[in-house]
């Protein structure tokens, strides 16, 4: 795990802000919960309509009843996405049949290049339990907003790349947000987090 | 370099442990040069390598060239406040007595404009340019898209 040099929280800065803003609320309520505004919405409150890499329509309500592990990316990137997908394939391997109960979802932030066919070709290289989602830019934006994630198209060398939230989001079977696995987090911490939503 | 014909670029590796080959250039040792398969030639490939500076003078990797891609460049994956971005790296420091890795999630070579799809088992050449030590060509083994690195006996 030499490459895991950094452990950066999702929105370290926004987390700090959330903490500051939330203090009064926490003190008045006396319960240790961050303010809901900056956390991903429960899946049941999300609204988007995307298509999976097999061409089937997907709505967030479809995920309720099973725990969900979801992350954003784009297949154009040669480093982050194969690494994340490879990590996730490794986690699914280690979880074995337990992972069959997970919705494991890769949502592209680059629907322009990541068509259904591209996602199908790409995902053929990874664990078959990973489902890829694409759709119109507007629907991708709705999904990203529901997760309180971010992405940005960045012009680069006559082409473009995408900056995007790199963490892996975990939700309980009832759709409530559980936790995030950060991009550089050691997998020793990742597996227990996944197991927690599986129980 | 680009004038070389395709068949010369992507020759099948003779052994499955090409990425475990070690190259030396002065005080520098270069090993574990590998790449990942791509699902097409119209998308970028990646280049990873490990460089050890056994000398007493700092050096820096200032560029890469390869017949496998029209526009190879050095990049760094940076995650700030949970957002991953991929800025250019003008040069990658190789300090005296240290090992620097171009590895998943950090520094990497981005191979734009591939001349052909990279398939698992292919190999190609990358020439590394260093500020002080000069240039050295290394063989790069293409592993699967899912690979996290070569499986070498000496890997730590």
């Amino acid at each position: 795990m030499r490459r895991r040099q950094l452990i950066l929280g999702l929105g370290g800065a926004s987390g700090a802000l959330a903490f500051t803003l939330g203090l009064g609320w926490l003190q008045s309520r006396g319960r240790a919960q961050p303010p809901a505004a900056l956390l991903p919405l429960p899946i049941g409150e999300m609204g988007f309509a995307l298509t999976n890499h097999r061409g089937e329509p997907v709505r967030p309500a479809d995920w309720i009843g099973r725990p969900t592990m979801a992350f954003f990316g784009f297949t154009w990137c040669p480093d982050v996405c194969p690494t994340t997908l490879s990590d996730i394939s490794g986690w699914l391997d280690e979880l074995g049949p337990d992972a069959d109960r997970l919705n494991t979802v890769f949502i592209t932030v680059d629907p322009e290049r990541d068509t259904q066919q591209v996602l199908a070709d790409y995902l053929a290289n990874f664990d078959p339990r990973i489902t890829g989602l694409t759709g119109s830019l507007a629907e991708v934006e709705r999904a990203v907003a529901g997760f309180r994630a971010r992405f940005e198209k960045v012009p680069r060398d006559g082409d473009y790349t995408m900056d995007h939230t790199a963490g892996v989001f975990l939700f309980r079977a009832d759709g409530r947000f559980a936790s995030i696995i950060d991009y550089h987090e050691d997998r020793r911490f990742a597996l227990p987090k996944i197991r927690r939503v599986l129980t | 370099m680009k004038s070389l014909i395709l068949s010369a670029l992507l020759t099948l590796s003779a052994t499955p442990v090409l990425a475990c080959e070690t190259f030396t250039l002065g005080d520098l040792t270069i090993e574990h040069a590998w790449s990942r398969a791509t699902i097409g030639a119209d998308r970028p490939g990646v280049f990873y390598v490990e460089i050890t500076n056994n000398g007493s003078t700092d050096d820096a990797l200032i560029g890469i060239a390869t017949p496998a891609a029209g526009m190879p460049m050095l990049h760094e994956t940076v995650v700030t406040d949970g957002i991953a971005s991929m800025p250019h790296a003008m040069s990658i420091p190789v300090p005296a007595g240290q090992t620097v890795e171009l590895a998943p999630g950090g520094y990497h070579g981005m191979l734009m404009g591939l001349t052909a799809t990279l398939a698992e088992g292919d190999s190609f050449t990358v020439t590394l340019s260093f500020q002080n030590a000069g240039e050295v060509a290394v063989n790069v083994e293409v592993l699967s898209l899912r690979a996290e690195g070569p499986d070498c006996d000496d890997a730590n």
Side-chain angles (χ1 to χ4, degrees):
Chain A
M1 285 295 141
R2 290 163 299 170
R3 64 195 167 82
R4 306 297 198 210
Q5 295 145 340
L6 300 168
I7 298 181
L8 293 168
L10 173 96
S14 62
L17 176 67
F19 179 71
T20 309
L21 293 175
L23 269 183
W25 182 83
L26 291 177
Q27 282 161 356
S28 64
R29 294 295 296 272
R31 280 203 301 154
Q33 269 189 345
L38 292 164
L39 290 177
L41 291 177
I43 288 170
E45 291 175 26
M46 291 188 189
F48 58 80
L50 294 168
T51 304
N52 71 20
H53 70 281
R54 291 178 288 269
E56 298 152 350
V58 173
R59 288 192 161 274
D62 302 343
W63 297 343
I64 302 290
R66 285 149 54 108
T68 296
M69 172 159 69
F71 57 102
F72 296 91
F74 64 119
T75 73
W76 192 263
C77 72
D79 184 50
V80 179
C81 296
T83 303
T84 301
L85 282 161
S86 172
D87 282 351
I88 285 174
S89 298
W91 298 338
L92 296 177
D93 277 354
E94 289 194 43
L95 291 165
D98 282 351
D100 294 352
R101 294 191 286 115
L102 272 176
N103 302 304
T104 305
V105 189
F106 165 65
I107 305 171
T108 182
V109 292
D110 185 14
E112 200 177 318
R113 289 186 293 212
D114 286 340
T115 60
Q116 181 202 326
Q117 188 56 51
V118 167
L119 287 183
D121 291 348
Y122 195 78
L123 289 173
N125 293 281
F126 298 95
D127 192 293
R129 290 171 288 191
I130 302 172
T131 296
L133 296 188
T134 187
S136 68
L137 181 59
E139 291 298 329
V140 168
E141 283 171 346
R142 287 178 74 194
V144 168
F147 281 82
R148 307 291 189 231
R150 281 163 49 198
F151 73 107
E152 188 182 355
K153 187 171 177 174
V154 182
R156 167 73 58 80
D157 306 314
D159 214 318
Y160 68 90
T161 182
M162 308 294 298
D163 291 356
H164 63 89
T165 299
V168 176
F169 296 80
L170 292 167
F171 295 86
R172 298 182 182 88
D174 63 7
R176 280 177 305 143
F177 169 68
S179 59
I180 285 176
I181 303 166
D182 290 321
Y183 179 63
H184 284 104
E185 192 166 325
D186 194 306
R187 76 188 310 170
R188 280 178 303 170
F189 304 123
L191 281 173
K193 282 185 179 178
I194 302 170
R195 287 205 175 97
R196 218 166 296 142
V197 296
L198 279 169
T199 52
Chain B
M1 292 287 265
K2 272 187 271 182
S3 61
L4 291 176
I5 56 164
L6 188 65
S7 59
L9 307 184
L10 299 173
T11 49
L12 281 176
S13 65
T15 64
V17 288
L18 194 62
C20 301
E21 215 172 327
T22 298
F23 302 85
T24 51
L25 173 70
D27 289 330
L28 303 179
T29 304
I30 295 113
E31 55 191 338
H32 305 152
W34 64 286
S35 179
R36 282 182 176 133
T38 64
I39 59 168
D42 62 344
R43 46 190 55 237
V46 75
F47 167 63
Y48 298 121
V49 72
E50 200 174 304
I51 304 157
T52 301
N53 184 346
N54 302 299
S56 52
T57 312
D58 292 346
D59 208 331
L61 177 64
I62 55 173
I64 52 172
T66 175
M71 202 164 51
M73 51 191 110
L74 297 173
H75 280 176
E76 182 179 13
T77 295
V78 176
V79 182
T80 308
D81 294 344
I83 309 290
S85 61
M86 205 172 56
H88 280 297
M90 295 313 289
S91 77
I92 298 173
V94 187
Q98 292 189 31
T99 296
V100 169
E101 283 181 274
L102 277 67
Y107 286 120
H108 57 275
M110 168 118 164
L111 311 178
M112 296 281 283
L114 288 179
T115 50
T117 301
L118 299 179
E120 186 175 354
D122 286 350
S123 70
F124 58 91
T125 303
V126 166
T127 302
L128 304 163
S129 298
F130 294 93
Q131 203 157 31
N132 301 323
E135 295 189 350
V136 63
V138 301
N139 293 325
V140 182
E141 182 178 359
V142 181
L143 305 178
S144 82
L145 186 52
R146 204 189 144 165
E148 300 199 320
D151 200 6
C152 303
D153 288 342
D154 62 348
N156 42 31

